[in-house]
Amino acid sequence: MKALQYVSVGQPPEVRDVPIPAPGPGEVLLRVTAAGACHSDSFVMGLTEDQYSAFGYPLPMTLGHEAVGVVEELGSGASGISVGDPVAVYGPQGCGRCHSCARGVENYCPHAADLQIYPPGLGKDGAMAEYMIVEDPRLLIPLGELDPVATVALTDAGLTPYHAIKGSLDVLIPGSVAVVIGVGGLGHMAVQLLRTLTGATVIALDISQTKLDFAREVGAHHAFLSDDQAGARITAAVGPGPVAAVFDFVTNEPVLKIARSLSGPLTDLVLVGAGSVETTVGLLGQPFGSRFRAPYWGSRPELMEVFELARTDQLRVETESFSLDQGPEAYRKLHDGELRGRAVVIP
Ligand code: NAD
Ligand code: ZN
């Protein structure tokens, strides 16, 4: 079968011919119907040899951690689903046995790393191929009548902002202001989710004028360039005073500077982007009661909730479709900021 693989550090991904994997005991073989391209893949492919070896992901590795497909074959003992079922894959799987996993927050399983349990496409072969293996039927969410291409990105670009926003619902009261920094795959979902889940005024920031128009189209009340005037523009639009929450889908020095300038008592600074920045924290180093959070992906019940929002037309992913052969071009466009919404590869 064809697969889009990351083959050597620092080089673009390649379409290669690889064997169709066979499901082991308890596992499920999916025929992939759609796979999403995430900036986290670009982040991983942008690491140097030393940084990459710290992750320990073996290469070559098939990319893609957003996956939907149809059950093709069940390994011995796998039950609860049937051949032909359309399903979405829950990516941030945990050990499945501990207290966190029992609560559904497998994304925070404290044992996953030690047990070398990885999401598809981030440590083991992922979804950008004609077929993929899923370790356990519990990781599959029924897709029902939903369109695979239109919904595959809900598994990460939808789930991650949903989880990030749910953690701040206590401060996102009607009359509050929420800021979304970076209106790409995740950010355009965040804008819609804030409108659906809260009564906050939603302000989007991006470095691209096209993305600002896009942000308004998907529901932002205001959209401004992300530069050192951003704070002044926000004050002019909504008045002075701290914002309730900043959802940062970039995470670098300039963005954190903007985020901190907007914050005050009780502001949530939610750092979702894959970057990292040094900053001052502590009672006298940040506004009283403000919180920094670094949420990771989302829980299994939250993924079901996100699919429910899509099923009831309350959440919509903007997509651009690519074939597997066009996969490298999808990642180039993602890297160069040329996508509107999410790139979806259809094997
Ligand atoms: P994307 O490339 O689709 O979107 C990024 C957006 O940020 C683009 O619109 C770009 O123009 C904008 N941007 C870049 N620099 C900016 C700046 N200085 N100010 C404002 N906007 C700026 O990326 P994505 O797939 O949506 O991913 C967003 C980030 O979230 C990535 O860092 C990714 O690795 C990370 N991520 C984190 C998790 C998690 O679990 N925490 C999950 C998925 C993705
Ligand atoms: Zn991702």
Side-chain angles (χ1 to χ4, degrees), residues 38-40 156 160 181-186 205-207 211 226 249-250 252 255 272-274 295-297 334 342:
C38 178
H39 210 111
S40 299
D156 175 14
T160 302
I181 305 183
V183 193
L186 274 67
L205 302 180
D206 204 291
I207 47 172
K211 298 288 176 80
S226 174
F249 296 98
V250 181
N252 60 22
V255 161
V272 185
Y296 171 64
W297 219 327
L334 175 64
R342 204 57 151 179

Side-chain angles (χ1 to χ4, degrees), residues 263-299:
S263 69
L266 294 178
T267 298
D268 269 4
L269 294 145
V270 189
L271 311 179
V272 185
S276 49
V277 187
E278 292 196 8
T279 193
T280 310
V281 294
L283 186 62
L284 302 180
Q286 70 189 85
F288 294 153
S290 62
R291 296 184 287 197
F292 282 93
R293 289 195 291 115
Y296 171 64
W297 219 327
S299 73

Side-chain angles (χ1 to χ4, degrees), residues 226-238:
S226 174
D227 58 21
D228 52 13
Q229 294 305 304
R233 292 188 194 102
I234 291 174
T235 303
V238 297

Side-chain angles (χ1 to χ4, degrees), residues 12-96:
E14 294 172 28
V15 181
R16 302 173 86 217
D17 255 315
V18 298
I20 296 176
E27 294 183 339
V28 180
L29 180 71
L30 288 191
R31 179 173 57 77
V32 179
T33 47
C38 178
H39 210 111
S40 299
D41 306 327
S42 292
F43 173 81
V44 167
M45 290 191 281
L47 296 174
T48 62
E49 197 91 46
D50 280 353
Q51 292 165 331
Y52 189 85
S53 61
F55 280 91
Y57 299 171
L59 295 182
M61 176 180 74
T62 302
L63 294 165
H65 54 270
E66 292 182 341
V68 294
V70 173
V71 176
E72 175 80 10
E73 190 185 332
L74 299 176
S76 66
S79 62
I81 44 164
S82 308
V83 169
D85 283 356
V87 288
V89 179
Y90 175 72
Q93 60 179 288
C95 71

